[in-house]
Amino acid sequence: MKRYYEFDPKGEVIFSLDSKYEVSETSDLEIQAPPIKDENIVEASAAEAAHADDGEVAIADEASAPEDVPTPTHDSTTLNTIRMRASLKHLTLASHYFSRILSSPANANTIKTKGYIEIELSSDENASALVILLNIIHGYPRGVPQWIDFETFTDVAILVDNFECREVIELYSDIWIKGLARPIDTCLPDVTGWLYVCWVFRKLDKFNIMRRFLQYQSTGPIDTFGLLIPDWIVDNIEKHRQEAIRQLVSALYDLVEELQGKKIGHSFACTSLMLGALLKAMKPLGLGFPRPEAPFTGFCINELVKGLRNMKNPVVPGICHDKKDVKCCLLMENVALFLNNLKSYVTRSSLESFSSEQGGLSLWLVPK
């Protein structure tokens, strides 16, 4: 069954996608698209679509689809052909991408001569997300849900990122983020998805939360799971993960050298106990000899911190307890200092502003 959504009856842009997603009409989404008017659609043959050069969109042939085109069956392998008619004016005002693409000489001439242009979208696009976005762009607030699930929100973010139309949807993104507020899931794909959403919609505080979480939990360069997270963000997270681990390893090995050199502790017995306890705690964490080096693949900051916090002070009756200053004999006093420094380093750099640099949006991660 072919679906046709008419956002503007005289619209010059027809989106066509063979989507594996059905347009959701559940009570949760409450999508109220403009009336479906199959008789008004300008059917064009996708088979004859010509892909323009120089970044121009795919343009469909003038030939109309024949009446006896078979209707797709709805099984798990068949794609659903969905078309949406939209206003050229609304699209170019809301989207920098469409303003640029649709004003190209070839595409402008197609619209002038044929009266419309057909844009073929990837079958990976979520049709529900596109309906939501087009409702917003065309000023149909009743067709915009007050709550959407996170998967749909991510799909909307992908469209917003691709079509460069963040400003027009910013108010709704605030509402959806508030509705989805919950403790961070420990599932890295969800956290990475939130990082991407916060990047697209420029949500400063939440972006920093996700960035720090990924620094603590990742064991190497983060997997973007196909999301278009800028490489420099991925590189920055990995750079700070490696630097945090390097500082921790360096501090632990400095402590080992100090214990071996008897620079701390009140006696040989005291120093030996602390050195043994420290080395014993480091080994199962992968921090024993030989000393680990960058890029520290497989090392997770969170697991290192948990392991070191479980370290116990070696206590033997009669050793050092008659001294006035026993802090230097408490191994965890020294290790706790390293862990506090580690936490301070991870939180020190944060997203402070979004700015325009060399024609593109960038964010700066700078020390507070």
Side-chain angles (χ1 to χ4, degrees):
M1 176 180 178
K2 293 188 176 182
R3 305 293 299 275
Y4 174 60
Y5 288 87
E6 189 176 82
F7 295 89
D8 182 348
K10 297 182 180 180
E12 304 91 337
V13 180
I14 298 176
F15 292 101
S16 175
L17 65 158
D18 291 327
S19 178
K20 60 185 177 183
Y21 301 95
E22 286 278 9
V23 176
S24 175
E25 295 179 356
T26 64
S27 58
D28 286 337
L29 289 179
E30 297 180 352
I31 291 179
Q32 301 175 24
I36 299 175
K37 300 179 181 178
D38 289 301
E39 68 274 14
N40 292 333
I41 188 168
V42 180
E43 295 277 34
S45 172
E48 300 294 328
H51 294 276
D53 295 329
D54 303 323
E56 295 171 359
V57 299
I59 303 174
D61 186 75
E62 294 179 350
S64 297
E67 293 291 332
D68 58 347
V69 172
T71 299
T73 57
H74 292 277
D75 58 35
S76 58
T77 60
T78 302
L79 300 178
N80 303 296
T81 302
I82 301 172
R83 286 180 176 163
M84 306 179 189
R85 189 164 197 164
S87 162
L88 173 67
K89 182 178 180 180
H90 283 78
L91 288 173
T92 54
L93 285 175
S95 164
H96 300 295
Y97 170 81
F98 287 122
S99 177
R100 184 170 63 251
I101 295 299
L102 296 177
S103 63
S104 68
N107 292 334
N109 183 62
T110 297
I111 295 171
K112 182 178 179 180
T113 56
K114 296 172 60 176
Y116 72 95
I117 185 170
E118 185 164 341
I119 300 177
E120 297 178 354
L121 299 178
S122 166
S123 60
D124 290 332
E125 303 289 0
N126 185 325
S128 292
L130 183 57
V131 168
I132 291 171
L133 181 58
L134 291 178
N135 269 321
I136 294 173
I137 288 176
H138 288 80
Y140 294 119
R142 290 178 58 192
V144 182
Q146 295 297 301
W147 182 91
I148 57 177
D149 60 68
F150 183 66
E151 181 181 358
T152 303
F153 192 13
T154 304
D155 289 332
V156 171
I158 292 172
L159 293 174
V160 169
D161 195 16
N162 290 339
F163 297 159
E164 302 170 31
C165 55
R166 175 174 56 87
E167 292 82 359
V168 75
I169 200 174
E170 196 160 15
L171 177 61
Y172 291 100
S173 70
D174 290 336
I175 296 172
W176 294 331
I177 287 175
K178 186 177 180 180
L180 290 170
R182 66 179 190 271
I184 297 177
D185 198 330
T186 56
C187 179
L188 288 182
D190 280 356
V191 178
T192 305
W194 269 111
L195 182 81
Y196 177 71
V197 166
C198 293
W199 157 250
V200 170
F201 294 111
R202 305 302 192 261
K203 304 307 177 185
L204 184 86
D205 294 338
K206 287 182 172 56
F207 179 91
N208 281 322
I209 292 173
M210 303 305 153
R211 179 186 60 80
R212 288 194 292 266
F213 187 91
L214 288 169
Q215 276 182 230
Y216 269 108
Q217 296 291 345
S218 60
T219 57
I222 64 170
D223 188 343
T224 62
F225 301 98
L227 298 174
L228 297 179
I229 300 174
D231 289 341
W232 66 268
I233 293 180
V234 175
D235 294 343
N236 187 279
I237 292 173
E238 173 62 8
K239 171 187 172 183
H240 284 284
R241 182 193 71 88
Q242 290 188 28
E243 178 59 20
I245 296 175
R246 187 200 67 77
Q247 290 186 16
L248 178 61
V249 170
S250 180
L252 289 171
Y253 272 81
D254 286 346
L255 180 57
V256 168
E257 290 185 7
E258 289 179 357
L259 289 169
Q260 289 175 331
K262 301 179 182 179
K263 295 180 181 179
I264 55 177
H266 287 114
S267 66
F268 174 80
C270 170
T271 302
S272 299
L273 283 172
M274 287 194 290
L275 178 60
L278 178 60
L279 293 175
K280 193 169 183 178
M282 290 170 59
K283 186 174 181 179
L285 297 175
L287 300 177
F289 298 101
R291 177 173 176 164
E293 301 289 345
F296 303 109
T297 302
F299 286 88
C300 170
I301 294 176
N302 191 54
E303 293 301 317
L304 294 178
V305 170
K306 284 169 58 178
L308 293 173
R309 287 201 186 281
N310 289 331
M311 186 188 304
K312 299 184 182 298
N313 283 313
V315 177
V316 177
I319 298 180
C320 296
H321 291 283
D322 57 339
K323 305 294 183 179
K324 292 182 180 180
D325 181 16
V326 298
K327 281 191 175 183
C328 65
C329 301
L330 298 179
L331 182 61
M332 277 307 299
E333 291 287 337
N334 293 279
V335 174
L337 178 62
F338 303 155
L339 299 182
N340 288 336
N341 289 339
L342 175 68
K343 181 179 180 181
S344 176
Y345 173 79
V346 172
T347 58
R348 191 180 308 140
S349 60
S350 64
L351 172 64
E352 292 197 340
S353 67
F354 294 97
S355 60
S356 178
E357 180 184 303
Q358 298 179 347
L361 286 171
S362 301
L363 79 172
W364 295 94
L365 292 169
V366 298
K368 285 185 176 179

PDB file of all heavy atoms in Angstrom, residues 187-207:
ATOM      1  N   CYS A 187      24.073   1.089  28.883  1.00  0.00           N
ATOM      2  CA  CYS A 187      24.248   0.559  27.530  1.00  0.00           C
ATOM      3  C   CYS A 187      24.930   1.616  26.667  1.00  0.00           C
ATOM      4  O   CYS A 187      24.378   2.702  26.438  1.00  0.00           O
ATOM      5  CB  CYS A 187      22.896   0.180  26.948  1.00  0.00           C
ATOM      6  SG  CYS A 187      22.968  -0.472  25.274  1.00  0.00           S
ATOM      7  N   LEU A 188      26.140   1.315  26.201  1.00  0.00           N
ATOM      8  CA  LEU A 188      26.911   2.307  25.457  1.00  0.00           C
ATOM      9  C   LEU A 188      26.227   2.810  24.192  1.00  0.00           C
ATOM     10  O   LEU A 188      26.344   3.993  23.870  1.00  0.00           O
ATOM     11  CB  LEU A 188      28.302   1.753  25.131  1.00  0.00           C
ATOM     12  CG  LEU A 188      29.268   1.645  26.321  1.00  0.00           C
ATOM     13  CD1 LEU A 188      30.623   1.123  25.856  1.00  0.00           C
ATOM     14  CD2 LEU A 188      29.443   2.988  27.018  1.00  0.00           C
ATOM     15  N   PRO A 189      25.486   1.968  23.426  1.00  0.00           N
ATOM     16  CA  PRO A 189      24.788   2.527  22.264  1.00  0.00           C
ATOM     17  C   PRO A 189      23.819   3.638  22.647  1.00  0.00           C
ATOM     18  O   PRO A 189      23.694   4.636  21.931  1.00  0.00           O
ATOM     19  CB  PRO A 189      24.053   1.306  21.681  1.00  0.00           C
ATOM     20  CG  PRO A 189      24.877   0.139  22.092  1.00  0.00           C
ATOM     21  CD  PRO A 189      25.394   0.491  23.466  1.00  0.00           C
ATOM     22  N   ASP A 190      23.104   3.488  23.781  1.00  0.00           N
ATOM     23  CA  ASP A 190      22.169   4.534  24.217  1.00  0.00           C
ATOM     24  C   ASP A 190      22.918   5.806  24.598  1.00  0.00           C
ATOM     25  O   ASP A 190      22.495   6.912  24.259  1.00  0.00           O
ATOM     26  CB  ASP A 190      21.350   4.044  25.411  1.00  0.00           C
ATOM     27  CG  ASP A 190      20.200   3.140  24.981  1.00  0.00           C
ATOM     28  OD1 ASP A 190      20.011   2.980  23.767  1.00  0.00           O
ATOM     29  OD2 ASP A 190      19.513   2.597  25.860  1.00  0.00           O
ATOM     30  N   VAL A 191      24.026   5.649  25.312  1.00  0.00           N
ATOM     31  CA  VAL A 191      24.806   6.819  25.728  1.00  0.00           C
ATOM     32  C   VAL A 191      25.384   7.523  24.511  1.00  0.00           C
ATOM     33  O   VAL A 191      25.373   8.754  24.422  1.00  0.00           O
ATOM     34  CB  VAL A 191      25.935   6.407  26.707  1.00  0.00           C
ATOM     35  CG1 VAL A 191      26.760   7.621  27.103  1.00  0.00           C
ATOM     36  CG2 VAL A 191      25.353   5.746  27.947  1.00  0.00           C
ATOM     37  N   THR A 192      25.890   6.739  23.545  1.00  0.00           N
ATOM     38  CA  THR A 192      26.429   7.327  22.321  1.00  0.00           C
ATOM     39  C   THR A 192      25.323   8.042  21.552  1.00  0.00           C
ATOM     40  O   THR A 192      25.540   9.108  20.970  1.00  0.00           O
ATOM     41  CB  THR A 192      27.070   6.241  21.440  1.00  0.00           C
ATOM     42  OG1 THR A 192      28.059   5.540  22.196  1.00  0.00           O
ATOM     43  CG2 THR A 192      27.730   6.855  20.212  1.00  0.00           C
ATOM     44  N   GLY A 193      24.123   7.461  21.552  1.00  0.00           N
ATOM     45  CA  GLY A 193      22.982   8.113  20.912  1.00  0.00           C
ATOM     46  C   GLY A 193      22.659   9.435  21.571  1.00  0.00           C
ATOM     47  O   GLY A 193      22.390  10.439  20.892  1.00  0.00           O
ATOM     48  N   TRP A 194      22.697   9.462  22.895  1.00  0.00           N
ATOM     49  CA  TRP A 194      22.458  10.721  23.620  1.00  0.00           C
ATOM     50  C   TRP A 194      23.552  11.746  23.318  1.00  0.00           C
ATOM     51  O   TRP A 194      23.271  12.939  23.187  1.00  0.00           O
ATOM     52  CB  TRP A 194      22.394  10.463  25.124  1.00  0.00           C
ATOM     53  CG  TRP A 194      21.015  10.171  25.627  1.00  0.00           C
ATOM     54  CD1 TRP A 194      20.535   8.997  26.107  1.00  0.00           C
ATOM     55  CD2 TRP A 194      19.922  11.101  25.694  1.00  0.00           C
ATOM     56  NE1 TRP A 194      19.216   9.133  26.464  1.00  0.00           N
ATOM     57  CE2 TRP A 194      18.813  10.405  26.228  1.00  0.00           C
ATOM     58  CE3 TRP A 194      19.771  12.443  25.353  1.00  0.00           C
ATOM     59  CZ2 TRP A 194      17.576  11.015  26.422  1.00  0.00           C
ATOM     60  CZ3 TRP A 194      18.543  13.045  25.544  1.00  0.00           C
ATOM     61  CH2 TRP A 194      17.463  12.343  26.073  1.00  0.00           C
ATOM     62  N   LEU A 195      24.786  11.294  23.208  1.00  0.00           N
ATOM     63  CA  LEU A 195      25.881  12.207  22.859  1.00  0.00           C
ATOM     64  C   LEU A 195      25.588  12.864  21.520  1.00  0.00           C
ATOM     65  O   LEU A 195      25.753  14.082  21.350  1.00  0.00           O
ATOM     66  CB  LEU A 195      27.205  11.442  22.799  1.00  0.00           C
ATOM     67  CG  LEU A 195      28.445  12.288  22.498  1.00  0.00           C
ATOM     68  CD1 LEU A 195      28.934  12.991  23.762  1.00  0.00           C
ATOM     69  CD2 LEU A 195      29.576  11.422  21.935  1.00  0.00           C
ATOM     70  N   TYR A 196      25.131  12.054  20.563  1.00  0.00           N
ATOM     71  CA  TYR A 196      24.828  12.573  19.223  1.00  0.00           C
ATOM     72  C   TYR A 196      23.657  13.552  19.274  1.00  0.00           C
ATOM     73  O   TYR A 196      23.719  14.644  18.682  1.00  0.00           O
ATOM     74  CB  TYR A 196      24.503  11.408  18.289  1.00  0.00           C
ATOM     75  CG  TYR A 196      24.097  11.838  16.897  1.00  0.00           C
ATOM     76  CD1 TYR A 196      25.027  12.380  16.020  1.00  0.00           C
ATOM     77  CD2 TYR A 196      22.781  11.702  16.466  1.00  0.00           C
ATOM     78  CE1 TYR A 196      24.666  12.776  14.741  1.00  0.00           C
ATOM     79  CE2 TYR A 196      22.405  12.093  15.190  1.00  0.00           C
ATOM     80  CZ  TYR A 196      23.349  12.627  14.336  1.00  0.00           C
ATOM     81  OH  TYR A 196      22.980  13.029  13.075  1.00  0.00           O
ATOM     82  N   VAL A 197      22.586  13.185  19.967  1.00  0.00           N
ATOM     83  CA  VAL A 197      21.417  14.064  20.079  1.00  0.00           C
ATOM     84  C   VAL A 197      21.804  15.394  20.708  1.00  0.00           C
ATOM     85  O   VAL A 197      21.399  16.472  20.239  1.00  0.00           O
ATOM     86  CB  VAL A 197      20.298  13.372  20.893  1.00  0.00           C
ATOM     87  CG1 VAL A 197      19.236  14.376  21.306  1.00  0.00           C
ATOM     88  CG2 VAL A 197      19.672  12.247  20.077  1.00  0.00           C
ATOM     89  N   CYS A 198      22.588  15.333  21.781  1.00  0.00           N
ATOM     90  CA  CYS A 198      23.003  16.566  22.473  1.00  0.00           C
ATOM     91  C   CYS A 198      23.922  17.410  21.596  1.00  0.00           C
ATOM     92  O   CYS A 198      23.923  18.644  21.686  1.00  0.00           O
ATOM     93  CB  CYS A 198      23.688  16.223  23.792  1.00  0.00           C
ATOM     94  SG  CYS A 198      22.584  15.486  25.019  1.00  0.00           S
ATOM     95  N   TRP A 199      24.705  16.759  20.743  1.00  0.00           N
ATOM     96  CA  TRP A 199      25.553  17.493  19.807  1.00  0.00           C
ATOM     97  C   TRP A 199      24.696  18.198  18.747  1.00  0.00           C
ATOM     98  O   TRP A 199      24.868  19.381  18.474  1.00  0.00           O
ATOM     99  CB  TRP A 199      26.551  16.550  19.153  1.00  0.00           C
ATOM    100  CG  TRP A 199      27.074  17.026  17.832  1.00  0.00           C
ATOM    101  CD1 TRP A 199      26.819  16.510  16.603  1.00  0.00           C
ATOM    102  CD2 TRP A 199      27.952  18.148  17.597  1.00  0.00           C
ATOM    103  NE1 TRP A 199      27.461  17.223  15.622  1.00  0.00           N
ATOM    104  CE2 TRP A 199      28.169  18.234  16.205  1.00  0.00           C
ATOM    105  CE3 TRP A 199      28.564  19.088  18.425  1.00  0.00           C
ATOM    106  CZ2 TRP A 199      28.963  19.212  15.636  1.00  0.00           C
ATOM    107  CZ3 TRP A 199      29.366  20.072  17.841  1.00  0.00           C
ATOM    108  CH2 TRP A 199      29.565  20.113  16.471  1.00  0.00           C
ATOM    109  N   VAL A 200      23.756  17.453  18.157  1.00  0.00           N
ATOM    110  CA  VAL A 200      22.921  18.019  17.094  1.00  0.00           C
ATOM    111  C   VAL A 200      22.125  19.215  17.611  1.00  0.00           C
ATOM    112  O   VAL A 200      22.047  20.258  16.944  1.00  0.00           O
ATOM    113  CB  VAL A 200      21.968  16.945  16.530  1.00  0.00           C
ATOM    114  CG1 VAL A 200      20.928  17.583  15.594  1.00  0.00           C
ATOM    115  CG2 VAL A 200      22.750  15.870  15.785  1.00  0.00           C
ATOM    116  N   PHE A 201      21.532  19.081  18.807  1.00  0.00           N
ATOM    117  CA  PHE A 201      20.668  20.141  19.335  1.00  0.00           C
ATOM    118  C   PHE A 201      21.402  21.095  20.275  1.00  0.00           C
ATOM    119  O   PHE A 201      20.785  21.941  20.918  1.00  0.00           O
ATOM    120  CB  PHE A 201      19.456  19.513  20.033  1.00  0.00           C
ATOM    121  CG  PHE A 201      18.549  18.789  19.090  1.00  0.00           C
ATOM    122  CD1 PHE A 201      18.445  17.405  19.128  1.00  0.00           C
ATOM    123  CD2 PHE A 201      17.823  19.477  18.131  1.00  0.00           C
ATOM    124  CE1 PHE A 201      17.618  16.720  18.242  1.00  0.00           C
ATOM    125  CE2 PHE A 201      17.006  18.807  17.240  1.00  0.00           C
ATOM    126  CZ  PHE A 201      16.903  17.431  17.296  1.00  0.00           C
ATOM    127  N   ARG A 202      22.725  20.921  20.357  1.00  0.00           N
ATOM    128  CA  ARG A 202      23.576  21.863  21.117  1.00  0.00           C
ATOM    129  C   ARG A 202      23.140  21.986  22.583  1.00  0.00           C
ATOM    130  O   ARG A 202      22.956  23.090  23.090  1.00  0.00           O
ATOM    131  CB  ARG A 202      23.588  23.243  20.439  1.00  0.00           C
ATOM    132  CG  ARG A 202      24.007  23.250  18.971  1.00  0.00           C
ATOM    133  CD  ARG A 202      25.409  22.658  18.801  1.00  0.00           C
ATOM    134  NE  ARG A 202      25.944  22.909  17.484  1.00  0.00           N
ATOM    135  CZ  ARG A 202      25.942  22.037  16.475  1.00  0.00           C
ATOM    136  NH1 ARG A 202      25.411  20.837  16.655  1.00  0.00           N
ATOM    137  NH2 ARG A 202      26.471  22.345  15.311  1.00  0.00           N
ATOM    138  N   LYS A 203      22.986  20.848  23.241  1.00  0.00           N
ATOM    139  CA  LYS A 203      22.621  20.825  24.650  1.00  0.00           C
ATOM    140  C   LYS A 203      23.899  20.666  25.471  1.00  0.00           C
ATOM    141  O   LYS A 203      24.398  19.561  25.696  1.00  0.00           O
ATOM    142  CB  LYS A 203      21.627  19.696  24.942  1.00  0.00           C
ATOM    143  CG  LYS A 203      20.358  19.763  24.087  1.00  0.00           C
ATOM    144  CD  LYS A 203      19.682  21.130  24.186  1.00  0.00           C
ATOM    145  CE  LYS A 203      18.468  21.223  23.272  1.00  0.00           C
ATOM    146  NZ  LYS A 203      17.875  22.575  23.261  1.00  0.00           N
ATOM    147  N   LEU A 204      24.418  21.784  25.914  1.00  0.00           N
ATOM    148  CA  LEU A 204      25.734  21.881  26.522  1.00  0.00           C
ATOM    149  C   LEU A 204      25.925  20.975  27.729  1.00  0.00           C
ATOM    150  O   LEU A 204      26.825  20.132  27.765  1.00  0.00           O
ATOM    151  CB  LEU A 204      25.969  23.342  26.918  1.00  0.00           C
ATOM    152  CG  LEU A 204      27.317  23.719  27.495  1.00  0.00           C
ATOM    153  CD1 LEU A 204      28.282  24.035  26.391  1.00  0.00           C
ATOM    154  CD2 LEU A 204      27.166  24.931  28.404  1.00  0.00           C
ATOM    155  N   ASP A 205      25.076  21.120  28.744  1.00  0.00           N
ATOM    156  CA  ASP A 205      25.259  20.386  29.997  1.00  0.00           C
ATOM    157  C   ASP A 205      25.145  18.884  29.798  1.00  0.00           C
ATOM    158  O   ASP A 205      25.959  18.112  30.307  1.00  0.00           O
ATOM    159  CB  ASP A 205      24.246  20.858  31.049  1.00  0.00           C
ATOM    160  CG  ASP A 205      24.480  22.304  31.459  1.00  0.00           C
ATOM    161  OD1 ASP A 205      25.612  22.788  31.273  1.00  0.00           O
ATOM    162  OD2 ASP A 205      23.534  22.941  31.947  1.00  0.00           O
ATOM    163  N   LYS A 206      24.127  18.464  29.071  1.00  0.00           N
ATOM    164  CA  LYS A 206      23.924  17.028  28.872  1.00  0.00           C
ATOM    165  C   LYS A 206      25.007  16.427  27.988  1.00  0.00           C
ATOM    166  O   LYS A 206      25.382  15.266  28.156  1.00  0.00           O
ATOM    167  CB  LYS A 206      22.531  16.769  28.292  1.00  0.00           C
ATOM    168  CG  LYS A 206      21.423  16.974  29.315  1.00  0.00           C
ATOM    169  CD  LYS A 206      20.061  16.659  28.743  1.00  0.00           C
ATOM    170  CE  LYS A 206      18.990  16.691  29.836  1.00  0.00           C
ATOM    171  NZ  LYS A 206      18.943  17.967  30.550  1.00  0.00           N
ATOM    172  N   PHE A 207      25.525  17.202  27.050  1.00  0.00           N
ATOM    173  CA  PHE A 207      26.634  16.717  26.233  1.00  0.00           C
ATOM    174  C   PHE A 207      27.830  16.386  27.113  1.00  0.00           C
ATOM    175  O   PHE A 207      28.476  15.346  26.958  1.00  0.00           O
ATOM    176  CB  PHE A 207      27.026  17.760  25.188  1.00  0.00           C
ATOM    177  CG  PHE A 207      28.183  17.348  24.317  1.00  0.00           C
ATOM    178  CD1 PHE A 207      27.966  16.688  23.120  1.00  0.00           C
ATOM    179  CD2 PHE A 207      29.489  17.612  24.702  1.00  0.00           C
ATOM    180  CE1 PHE A 207      29.027  16.294  22.317  1.00  0.00           C
ATOM    181  CE2 PHE A 207      30.557  17.215  23.914  1.00  0.00           C
ATOM    182  CZ  PHE A 207      30.330  16.556  22.718  1.00  0.00           C
TER     183      PHE A 207
END
